[in-house]
Amino acid sequence: MKCIRSELIGWGHYLPPKVLTNDDLSKMVDTNDEWISTRTGIKTRHISEGESTAQMSVKAAGKALEKAGLTAADLDLIIIGTLTPDNTTPSAAAKVAGLLGVKSGTPAFDVSAACSGFVYALTMADNMIRLGQVRTALVIGAETLSKVTDWTDRNTCVLFGDGAGAVVLRALEGIGTAEDTGILSTKLYADGTKYGFLYTTGGVSTTANAGYITMDGKEVFKSAVGCLSDAAEYVLKDAGASVEALDWLLPHQANIRIIDGVGHKLGIAPEKVIVTVDHHGNTSAASIPLALSESLESGKIRKGQLVVLSAMGAGFTWGGVLIRI
Ligand code: UT7
């Protein structure tokens, strides 16, 4: 049965120029390259020096629009997954719409789902495209996590980085099978009973400031492998595709041990797993679009290939998207 699909027609990413190494961090807190590398797989991360989430988003979006051969005037929708918007209100998406020069009346909003923010945003955009409400959507994952990082806490400050990734989706009539291009299946989850395992120490209605990220790393780790694999398995099954048919697993980039665990659990060879955590660190909602855009740009992920995106983060929230490029 024919159906409307959301085809990926553009992508782009932006990383702020400043690179922070593990050796740099060892001069700030009691840590070392050996610990960070073996426990997390992270070697370097990018840190914004004055560029906001919206400003980085505009740079990533500009590249995505150029790749798609479109201008901001062609957009019908903007969604940004972020936990670090420029202001508490309005949304980063509204600011980006203004900065890009998107036509008045185009809906723009943020999604707050922490590290799952991009997968949530992509799912919202896909649903609106499938319903025929919009035809062309800009979906961004962007973070300035350096602003909510406690740079004196070695448990967390070695993990995070800044950056932005963007994609442009366009409605396409598909044949309705897993052979279609575009988004084939999406699935979102949350479990609010896990709220206290990963959160910021502040918030608007409590402390009236943003606070800093704090987490029970072991508890998050324990749930992460299961959540990320379950979401990937669900969307594969839902689309009638097998793990063997998959070209790439692109999981949230939080920790190489989690990424390896997911690949192992799903039975996917390490060569088919996208890894950018080594040079991006954990960029929360930006992690998947950064890795996706970088892999498409380098030619690692190619047209026609089947890719499963899988994210997990604070909330807990988690989810998966199956897409044929
Ligand atoms: O993005 C959303 C999802 N987030 C995640 O998926 C993160 C999940 N969690 C993790 O990735 C890991 O739990 C961490 C990387 C955060 C921590 O790794 P771990 O293997 O669970 O280490 P740990 O917290 O159990 O700490 C082990 C030891 C402790 O020392 P003792 O108590 O054994 O003496 C820590 O104090 O390592 C110590 N430690 C450090 N040592 C050097 C903690 N942080 C550091 C550090 N440098 N930066």
Side-chain angles (χ1 to χ4, degrees):
M1 193 181 72
K2 286 193 170 185
C3 64
I4 300 293
R5 296 279 195 214
S6 307
E7 196 179 25
L8 181 71
I9 59 167
W11 54 83
H13 64 278
Y14 175 76
L15 290 158
K18 183 181 173 183
V19 173
L20 192 68
T21 66
N22 292 346
D23 286 338
D24 294 333
L25 280 159
S26 72
K27 292 176 192 121
M28 298 159 62
V29 288
D30 181 16
T31 191
N32 54 70
D33 176 50
E34 206 264 330
W35 191 95
I36 305 171
S37 302
T38 53
R39 297 287 180 129
T40 72
I42 302 168
K43 285 283 186 191
T44 58
R45 69 289 286 146
H46 291 254
I47 301 293
S48 162
E49 290 182 295
E51 283 183 295
S52 72
T53 294
Q55 287 167 329
M56 293 193 290
S57 296
V58 165
K59 290 186 176 167
K63 291 181 194 167
L65 284 167
E66 192 185 334
K67 183 82 197 166
L70 300 179
T71 69
D74 298 309
L75 294 173
D76 304 321
L77 172 69
I78 300 183
I79 312 179
I80 302 186
T82 187
L83 65 92
T84 49
D86 292 25
N87 296 80
T88 302
T89 195
S91 64
K95 188 163 185 184
V96 167
L99 291 169
L100 283 175
V102 170
K103 60 184 179 289
S104 172
T106 305
F109 61 95
D110 291 354
V111 170
S112 174
C115 301
S116 312
F118 180 75
V119 160
Y120 266 62
L122 205 56
T123 299
M124 294 302 108
D126 179 49
N127 289 343
M128 289 176 78
I129 287 173
R130 281 171 185 264
L131 279 172
Q133 292 174 335
V134 301
R135 199 175 128 69
T136 310
L138 174 66
V139 183
I140 298 173
E143 301 286 10
T144 317
L145 292 184
S146 56
K147 296 284 188 196
V148 286
T149 298
D150 176 355
W151 291 103
T152 64
D153 176 13
R154 72 172 183 174
N155 290 300
T156 52
C157 76
V158 301
L159 304 174
F160 305 118
D162 299 334
V167 299
V168 178
L169 300 177
R170 179 121 86 169
L172 161 93
E173 188 162 346
I175 53 173
T177 75
E179 300 313 310
D180 272 333
T181 54
I183 294 177
L184 304 177
S185 175
T186 61
K187 176 69 177 170
L188 302 179
Y189 309 82
D191 177 0
T193 66
K194 306 282 168 41
Y195 191 93
F197 289 132
L198 174 54
Y199 58 96
T200 58
T201 53
V204 184
S205 73
T206 52
T207 60
N209 60 46
Y212 296 113
I213 300 173
T214 184
M215 78 169 151
D216 183 334
K218 280 211 184 312
E219 281 300 328
V220 181
F221 197 116
K222 264 198 279 179
S223 299
V225 175
C227 289
L228 290 162
S229 344
D230 288 354
E233 260 169 358
Y234 183 98
V235 290
L236 278 165
K237 189 157 178 243
D238 186 51
S242 64
V243 172
E244 293 69 37
L246 205 57
D247 293 293
W248 297 104
L249 165 66
L250 198 170
H252 171 51
Q253 306 286 314
N255 186 318
I256 191 65
R257 292 185 289 143
I258 296 173
I259 295 170
D260 288 346
V262 177
H264 184 73
K265 190 151 190 263
L266 292 172
I268 295 171
E271 314 83 72
K272 289 183 164 189
V273 182
I274 301 287
V275 176
T276 56
V277 71
D278 56 329
H279 58 287
H280 291 166
N282 180 349
T283 58
S284 191
S287 111
I288 287 182
L290 275 173
L292 181 63
S293 172
E294 196 174 276
S295 305
L296 284 160
E297 197 175 284
S298 70
K300 191 168 184 173
I301 298 181
R302 298 190 309 276
K303 189 83 195 141
Q305 290 192 320
L306 192 61
V307 184
V308 70
L309 315 178
S310 180
M312 184 270 181
F316 291 158
T317 55
W318 65 107
V321 172
L322 185 69
I323 182 165
R324 189 177 294 284
I325 304 298

